[in-house]
Amino acid sequence: MTALLAPVGNLFGIPLGGAGGAGAPIQIVLLLTALTLLPAAIMCVTPFLRIVIVLHFLRQALGTQTAPSNQVLVGLALFLSLLIMQPVLGEAYTKAYEPLEKGEITSQQAWERASIPFKAFLLKFVRERDVKLFLDISHSAQPAKPADVGMAVLLPAYTLSELKTAFQIGAVLFLPFLIIDLVVASVTLSVGMMQLPPVMVSAPFKILLFVLVDGWNLVVGSLVKSFY
């Protein structure tokens, strides 16, 4: 457990293991801290962020309220994120965890090796403008090359970039369903159907259109392909 918690201890400036290292209570506290931060890391620094926001926009555009449920959307986003991150996780496991388990490298070296594929993945989708923003906020020096950007800057910059991308995709998804809403509203008003809300009339048409074009396949396929 000490080897696995060493990177977490380094973040807090607490040495683990060896003479003068932190004892079992401190290691347990660090382990609980790492487990607490794990859901936030999965949500914010993986494809999960973009996927779940786009799926939420899609549900709002369809006007189905709670169908699919939040649990279904989160589960689908999680499985898709694992699929996309599988090569990155595999590379980190092969280059970092296996040598660490065999005792060939130290925990600090394993942390550095594991961060390389994750950093390469994040750099593919982060915007230069967002990186510059957090470099200015943290008063960090401008890196000579993208690989020199620190994780403390790269992680929030990636989150901000993914939020922008997800909202852009969500806005595009809204357009065809918005057109259906406008057409149905115009027709219902022209024939004098004032008692029935246009949203209730347009909902079946939007769902039918979505099913006919195999919308789930198109949306999920496009989301996954956007990461390759």
Side-chain angles (χ1 to χ4, degrees), residues 159-203:
T159 302
L160 200 60
S161 300
E162 285 297 283
L163 285 173
K164 178 180 175 62
T165 302
F167 273 74
Q168 288 175 336
I169 299 174
V172 173
L173 281 176
F174 252 102
L175 293 179
F177 300 107
L178 179 61
I179 293 174
I180 295 177
D181 284 333
L182 292 175
V183 172
V184 171
S186 299
V187 172
T188 54
L189 288 175
S190 63
V191 299
M193 296 177 58
M194 306 298 295
Q195 297 83 4
L196 192 62
V199 176
M200 294 185 61
V201 180
S202 63

Side-chain angles (χ1 to χ4, degrees), residues 72-209:
V72 173
L73 295 184
V74 170
L76 178 60
L78 181 60
F79 290 135
L80 293 177
S81 300
L82 290 175
L83 175 65
I84 297 170
M85 294 295 292
Q86 185 176 0
V88 179
L89 295 173
E91 184 179 354
Y93 180 85
T94 302
K95 294 184 178 181
Y97 183 75
E98 287 184 348
L100 176 65
E101 193 177 23
K102 296 176 183 178
E104 299 174 354
I105 58 176
T106 64
S107 58
Q108 182 63 31
Q109 292 173 327
W111 172 260
E112 294 174 355
R113 290 189 182 185
S115 64
I116 293 176
F118 283 98
K119 182 179 288 188
F121 174 82
L122 298 177
L123 286 171
K124 290 181 182 179
F125 306 103
V126 73
R127 297 188 306 161
E128 183 179 351
R129 184 176 181 180
D130 295 327
V131 173
K132 186 178 184 304
L133 170 64
F134 288 102
L135 285 174
D136 294 340
I137 292 174
S138 61
H139 302 288
S140 302
Q142 292 292 333
K145 56 182 183 295
D148 294 336
V149 179
M151 294 295 284
V153 171
L154 189 57
L155 295 181
Y158 171 83
T159 302
L160 200 60
S161 300
E162 285 297 283
L163 285 173
K164 178 180 175 62
T165 302
F167 273 74
Q168 288 175 336
I169 299 174
V172 173
L173 281 176
F174 252 102
L175 293 179
F177 300 107
L178 179 61
I179 293 174
I180 295 177
D181 284 333
L182 292 175
V183 172
V184 171
S186 299
V187 172
T188 54
L189 288 175
S190 63
V191 299
M193 296 177 58
M194 306 298 295
Q195 297 83 4
L196 192 62
V199 176
M200 294 185 61
V201 180
S202 63
F205 292 100
K206 291 190 290 186
I207 296 173
L208 181 61
L209 174 65

